[in-house]
Amino acid sequence: MVLAGLLDMLMFLADPRKLHGVRHPVAAITAVALAATLTGARSFQAIAEWATDAPADQRERPLQGPNAAR
């Protein structure tokens, strides 16, 4: 499935951040940003608002993969 392949590829992204202070994996941040963008977010602020306002199941589903219980 395409989503599984995309999530697998995101796991290979290099994380340029320093280890100190890293709270979330870069793949998770990228998946949430992609989900927000696909739902209409067009700026960093809009992505942040989507991540804050979206129901938990919508925020977490991109991180769980295609076989997650819905």
Side-chain angles (χ1 to χ4, degrees):
M1 179 171 231
V2 173
L3 180 59
L6 178 59
L7 291 173
D8 290 339
M9 292 184 74
L10 290 177
M11 298 303 283
F12 290 101
L13 287 176
D15 190 345
R17 301 173 296 171
K18 294 179 181 174
L19 290 178
H20 179 74
V22 171
R23 295 182 185 179
H24 305 289
V26 72
I29 294 169
T30 305
V32 169
L34 178 60
T37 302
L38 290 173
T39 61
R42 296 291 177 253
S43 67
F44 292 125
Q45 182 66 34
I47 292 169
E49 289 173 2
W50 183 91
T52 300
D53 297 338
D57 66 323
Q58 288 183 7
R59 282 193 318 266
E60 295 168 6
R61 191 171 299 142
L63 309 178
Q64 296 171 346
N67 297 322
R70 295 181 191 245

